[in-house]
Amino acid sequence: MTQRQAFTAFAVCVLSASSAAAQTTIGGLSGSHTDIPRWCGKPYQSGSPNYDPGGMLMPPAPSPTPMLYVQIEPRYSIYDSSETSGEFLVDASLSYIHGEPYRNATPSDDGGMLDFDIRIEDTDKLLVSDSVVVNSTDNQFSFDFGELQPRLTPYSIVLYGAPPSSYANQSYMATTELWYLPAKNNGSTVKVDNLNGGLSVANNATNYTFTPILPFGFYTSCSGYLNYSLANVTAYKDLGFNAINPVCAFADGNLDYLFDWMDATNLWYQYDMRGTFSNGLNVTQLTEQIPLVKDRSNLLSWYTADEPDGWQYALNQTRIAYDILKQQDPYHPTALVLNCDNYYFEEYSSGADYIMEDAYPIGINPTYSQPWNTTCNETYGDCGCDDCIGELQDVSNRLDDLFDYQLWLGQPEKPLWAVLQAFSGEGYWSRDPTPEETWAMMVLSFNHGAKGIMSWTYPTSESLGEAHGAMAKIATVSPVSTFLIGVPEATRITVPGHELLDVAYWVLNKQILVGVVNLDYVSQNSTIEILLPVSVTGMASQPWGSVGWVVTNGTLTAHELTGLATSFVVLDL
Ligand SMILES: *[C@@H]1O[C@H](CO)[C@@H](O)[C@H](O)[C@H]1NC(C)=O
Ligand SMILES: *[C@@H]1O[C@H](CO)[C@@H](O)[C@H](O)[C@H]1NC(C)=O
Ligand SMILES: *[C@@H]1O[C@H](CO)[C@@H](O)[C@H](O)[C@H]1NC(C)=O
Ligand SMILES: *[C@@H]1O[C@H](CO)[C@@H](O)[C@H](O)[C@H]1NC(C)=O
Ligand SMILES: *[C@@H]1O[C@H](CO)[C@@H](O)[C@H](O)[C@H]1NC(C)=O
Ligand SMILES: *[C@@H]1O[C@H](CO)[C@@H](O)[C@H](O)[C@H]1NC(C)=O
Ligand SMILES: *[C@@H]1O[C@H](CO)[C@@H](O)[C@H](O)[C@H]1NC(C)=O
Ligand SMILES: *[C@@H]1O[C@H](CO)[C@@H](O)[C@H](O)[C@H]1NC(C)=O
Ligand SMILES: *[C@@H]1O[C@H](CO)[C@@H](O)[C@H](O)[C@H]1NC(C)=O
Ligand SMILES: *[C@@H]1O[C@H](CO)[C@@H](O)[C@H](O)[C@H]1NC(C)=O
Ligand SMILES: *[C@@H]1O[C@H](CO)[C@@H](O)[C@H](O)[C@H]1NC(C)=O
Ligand SMILES: *[C@@H]1O[C@H](CO)[C@@H](O)[C@H](O)[C@H]1NC(C)=O
């Protein structure tokens, strides 16, 4: 997670004290530079030659005319036999980088539509027959499972579409997979909401009814905290967290008691297999652990690789693990964290159902690497935060980048989570974030689409533990969570004259949630007027922050925003 010595704290976890210098040729990337110690593909040792690290994604060249890009996805990553109906999401966007030629040759009275059928590929069984407006996205279509047999392998789904007028002579095809599993009555079942990006969980504590959650917690030391007592687990949960990533696994020893405590307190865990990935993926070890964990009542997700891009694990490694996990346990999603700004994103992220980022910008020197005495730039050096500028915006820039890469690749957007800095040291980070910087990074993450927070690392300082808990208690419950994971994505707005304000909003039913961060460390004392796209009738509540907002018709006004002020405010429409 942190790049170098982070693992030394966890004796139980049998994770060797790693140093980047030890990680010279792991992963077997082909090329002539594998002998040079690198991080994110960049040489970082003083005196190493400079060269192009490769693996960088660039925006695709746009075509001169828009193409029609038809995509289909199930609303949820999995369904089970406790459910009688499902949903598909159909996109028919006009894109300059993906899709098939689109000639809008239809007459105006029936133009601009696409008729389509959705079928099970093997049997040709029709599930949906309907139409969408061209250049619309996230169209929802429900269907009944009916006679469909629940099974442990996915159904291949195919969509055929065409404009209604036959003389348009154009057709479009898209495919996806539909998982319809036998419902379990033990352990947990966890699905990804492909529309809104949250997770939906079912276990004994929900009476096996799917319940949306916005996971919020910490990577947590096992030997330095979790293994002490059930009271420690309870104390952690009481701070306000609903999720955790214990940095230990069954491969490290018998940890039944520790996972039992998390099950007993209904604390959702990412099961961390970083040890199975270091020094090459040990597939035997991966396979051996799955039966020990898959039927536990609070397994949230499988966490495979920790910074596989930083360590330059083999490009196929995360996907190999992903496929094994899907085959042996299709009931849970798989996640991993990427550390690099732009290094083989497609390959590494192909092994994840949601993608975490861990840009740690506080207290770094973005241009000089103190541990290695080198400069840092786009192709060289390791300054602790890849391609960062050492400001809060590094977190939101990274989320925006990961969003864009998926857009460029033409993939459905996978949910993004933020791993926030709650530590310092190791030669890269001269200080901890303050609580105000922490809250700023949190609201910034949500404004830029994060659907979960899992910070590094617990125990942290008492003030940062409390700062994280305070936000967790607000962001994981209604009304805030209802917006954050009840709407596909936030819409950001700029505030003229206040370039250092980051503002986004979410509209749901008859209300709007507005998230505001003052990225300036000093007070904004000239009047701040946030022009909203909708007419608002009044303020319902301010679940987070204490800004003196005044609501007038379409405008949210404050006369002052203190340095690093953060606010979540709910307004009535
Ligand atoms: C990055 O730094 C290295 C080492 O100092 C140097 O050789 C290289 O030219 C620099 N690259 C850029 C793009 O400035
Ligand atoms: C398609 O929709 C996008 C996003 O709403 C919009 O920016 C674009 O102008 C639309 N394209 C056309 C050709 O209407
Ligand atoms: C329709 O499509 C077929 C097959 O691609 C092509 O041969 C034919 O010329 C097209 N007709 C028109 C009117 O575009
Ligand atoms: C949990 O349920 C599944 C399917 O119903 C079953 O195969 C499995 O053996 C059960 N596991 C335990 C630990 O009871
Ligand atoms: C689960 O069911 C039990 C018994 O019917 C009920 O007492 C409990 O409130 C339910 N819990 C939830 C979370 O719905
Ligand atoms: C938890 O573990 C720590 C050791 O890291 C210990 O000092 C503390 O008292 C324990 N108990 C609770 C309730 O946190
Ligand atoms: C759920 O099952 C776990 C064991 O897997 C148990 O520790 C916990 O108390 C149960 N929770 C509820 C709410 O029944
Ligand atoms: C992989 O894990 C298995 C089972 O723990 C172990 O026997 C084997 O030695 C490991 N292989 C490597 C290459 O470390
Ligand atoms: C994965 O990649 C490595 C290194 O490029 C290669 O040696 C290995 O054969 C690949 N494995 C599979 C299953 O493709
Ligand atoms: C750091 O590198 C510079 C030149 O690149 C050298 O002059 C200096 O002595 C080095 N400092 C340390 C502490 O190694
Ligand atoms: C805003 O605050 C700064 C620093 O406190 C002060 O110099 C400036 O006069 C204030 N501006 C207004 C409009 O109050
Ligand atoms: C609110 O704004 C709308 C549109 O800008 C305008 O039509 C309406 O008259 C305004 N209402 C009030 C009470 O100012």
Side-chain angles (χ1 to χ4, degrees):
M1 180 57 49
T2 69
Q3 299 169 5
R4 311 295 170 261
Q5 296 137 13
F7 306 149
T8 52
F10 312 116
V12 159
C13 306
V14 197
L15 294 165
S16 59
S18 327
S19 76
Q23 293 289 329
T24 52
T25 58
I26 302 298
L29 275 189
S30 57
S32 56
H33 299 291
T34 46
D35 52 332
I36 301 168
R38 299 164 300 149
W39 185 259
C40 295
K42 303 176 185 182
Y44 58 80
Q45 284 186 338
S46 187
S48 295
N50 178 62
Y51 65 92
D52 180 358
M56 215 179 259
L57 283 176
M58 305 293 262
S63 85
T65 51
M67 295 172 287
L68 181 56
Y69 191 36
V70 180
Q71 286 172 284
I72 178 172
E73 246 193 319
R75 163 72 189 273
Y76 290 102
S77 58
I78 55 172
Y79 290 92
D80 77 20
S81 55
S82 72
E83 301 170 278
T84 54
S85 66
E87 243 176 13
F88 286 112
L89 303 174
V90 176
D91 283 4
S93 38
L94 288 175
S95 162
Y96 287 86
I97 54 178
H98 296 285
E100 298 294 323
Y102 175 64
R103 190 164 46 90
N104 191 3
T106 52
S108 56
D109 60 351
D110 71 343
M113 297 297 290
L114 184 79
D115 293 343
F116 65 85
D117 284 348
I118 300 173
R119 295 176 188 274
I120 294 174
E121 194 168 24
D122 294 345
T123 59
D124 218 32
K125 185 185 161 52
L126 182 68
L127 296 177
V128 177
S129 183
D130 215 314
S131 61
V132 288
V133 176
V134 167
N135 209 22
S136 65
T137 56
D138 285 342
N139 300 288
Q140 292 163 253
F141 297 97
S142 63
F143 63 95
D144 288 333
F145 288 116
E147 311 285 278
L148 204 62
Q149 286 306 305
R151 64 183 204 193
L152 293 168
T153 53
Y155 287 95
S156 295
I157 301 297
V158 61
L159 174 151
Y160 291 106
S165 296
S166 53
Y167 63 81
N169 199 17
Q170 292 160 305
S171 68
Y172 302 86
M173 194 188 93
T175 59
T176 190
E177 283 186 341
L178 174 70
W179 291 86
Y180 183 51
L181 300 163
K184 287 175 69 171
N185 58 5
N186 63 24
S188 66
T189 303
V190 178
K191 42 167 106 181
V192 178
D193 177 352
N194 288 326
L195 179 62
N196 297 323
L199 296 182
S200 197
V201 299
N203 70 354
N204 58 349
T206 74
N207 286 340
Y208 297 97
T209 302
F210 288 105
T211 308
I213 67 164
L214 186 149
F216 201 129
F218 269 102
Y219 288 82
T220 301
S221 158
C222 293
S223 63
Y225 184 80
L226 278 182
N227 69 341
Y228 279 71
S229 63
L230 174 60
N232 280 59
V233 180
T234 309
Y236 170 92
K237 196 174 182 213
D238 288 348
L239 277 174
F241 304 123
N242 60 6
I244 192 168
N245 182 117
V247 188
C248 54
F250 282 92
D252 307 327
N254 182 357
L255 293 169
D256 272 306
Y257 70 97
L258 198 151
F259 285 87
D260 286 348
W261 289 340
M262 289 183 286
D263 289 334
T265 46
N266 196 31
L267 181 60
W268 290 95
Y269 41 86
Q270 285 195 145
Y271 181 74
D272 191 325
M273 295 185 285
R274 66 181 65 206
T276 309
F277 268 75
S278 58
N279 201 21
L281 170 61
N282 188 328
V283 174
T284 313
Q285 228 172 44
L286 174 74
T287 308
E288 281 171 358
Q289 291 177 72
I290 298 170
L292 304 177
V293 188
K294 72 181 179 65
D295 294 329
R296 286 192 157 267
S297 58
N298 282 86
L299 173 62
L300 181 68
S301 58
W302 300 101
Y303 180 80
T304 54
D306 192 71
E307 304 181 334
D309 51 347
W311 299 113
Q312 299 141 156
Y313 292 162
L315 296 178
N316 55 11
Q317 204 163 308
T318 62
R319 183 68 202 203
I320 290 171
Y322 181 89
D323 290 338
I324 294 172
L325 285 161
K326 276 288 168 284
Q327 198 216 339
Q328 298 192 18
D329 174 34
Y331 291 86
H332 297 91
T334 296
L336 50 78
V337 73
L338 295 181
N339 182 256
C340 307
D341 179 34
N342 191 352
Y343 189 65
Y344 291 103
F345 171 84
E346 181 176 12
E347 290 82 353
Y348 290 121
S349 71
S350 70
D353 293 308
Y354 59 90
I355 306 165
M356 308 168 80
E357 67 76 28
D358 67 354
Y360 303 136
I362 306 298
I364 62 160
N365 182 336
T367 54
Y368 169 71
S369 175
Q370 200 225 303
W372 304 103
N373 189 28
T374 70
T375 55
C376 288
N377 62 34
E378 260 189 35
T379 60
Y380 201 89
D382 174 6
C383 281
C385 190
D386 193 37
D387 291 343
C388 289
I389 53 174
E391 295 186 4
L392 299 165
Q393 292 92 315
D394 285 320
V395 172
S396 46
N397 290 345
R398 184 64 54 85
L399 289 164
D400 292 349
D401 287 348
L402 301 189
F403 184 91
D404 286 347
Y405 299 155
Q406 297 182 79
L407 201 66
W408 298 349
L409 292 166
Q411 299 174 348
E413 296 281 342
K414 293 176 182 177
L416 302 176
W417 288 21
V419 178
L420 300 178
Q421 179 181 351
F423 68 94
S424 55
E426 300 175 43
Y428 297 101
W429 299 276
S430 66
R431 64 177 180 87
D432 278 4
T434 63
E436 288 73 22
E437 286 171 327
T438 298
W439 295 323
M441 290 191 285
M442 287 171 177
V443 179
L444 205 50
S445 297
F446 292 128
N447 281 2
H448 290 257
K451 302 290 183 175
I453 303 273
M454 191 66 76
S455 296
W456 183 265
T457 168
Y458 199 82
T460 176
S461 68
E462 199 177 329
S463 67
L464 285 185
E466 283 167 4
H468 281 254
M471 180 63 84
K473 282 183 182 141
I474 300 299
T476 60
V477 298
S478 181
V480 175
S481 70
T482 313
F483 288 93
L484 296 181
I485 56 171
V487 176
E489 57 193 74
T491 307
R492 288 190 296 277
I493 41 183
T494 54
V495 184
H498 296 277
E499 274 64 41
L500 286 177
L501 282 192
D502 193 278
V503 181
Y505 68 87
W506 295 255
V507 184
L508 191 63
N509 303 325
K510 291 254 176 272
Q511 290 192 316
I512 177 169
L513 172 75
V514 185
V516 179
V517 189
N518 176 13
L519 293 168
D520 207 332
Y521 282 72
V522 299
S523 184
Q524 308 255 327
N525 51 6
S526 65
T527 299
I528 296 115
E529 280 191 355
I530 301 177
L531 198 62
L532 298 169
V534 285
S535 170
V536 287
T537 59
M539 186 160 112
S541 63
Q542 186 171 184
W544 179 261
S546 51
V547 176
W549 296 115
V550 178
V551 178
T552 51
N553 205 356
T555 310
L556 186 60
T557 306
H559 293 296
E560 192 190 0
L561 273 184
T562 54
L564 298 179
T566 45
S567 174
F568 273 129
V569 56
V570 180
L571 309 169
D572 292 319
L573 301 183

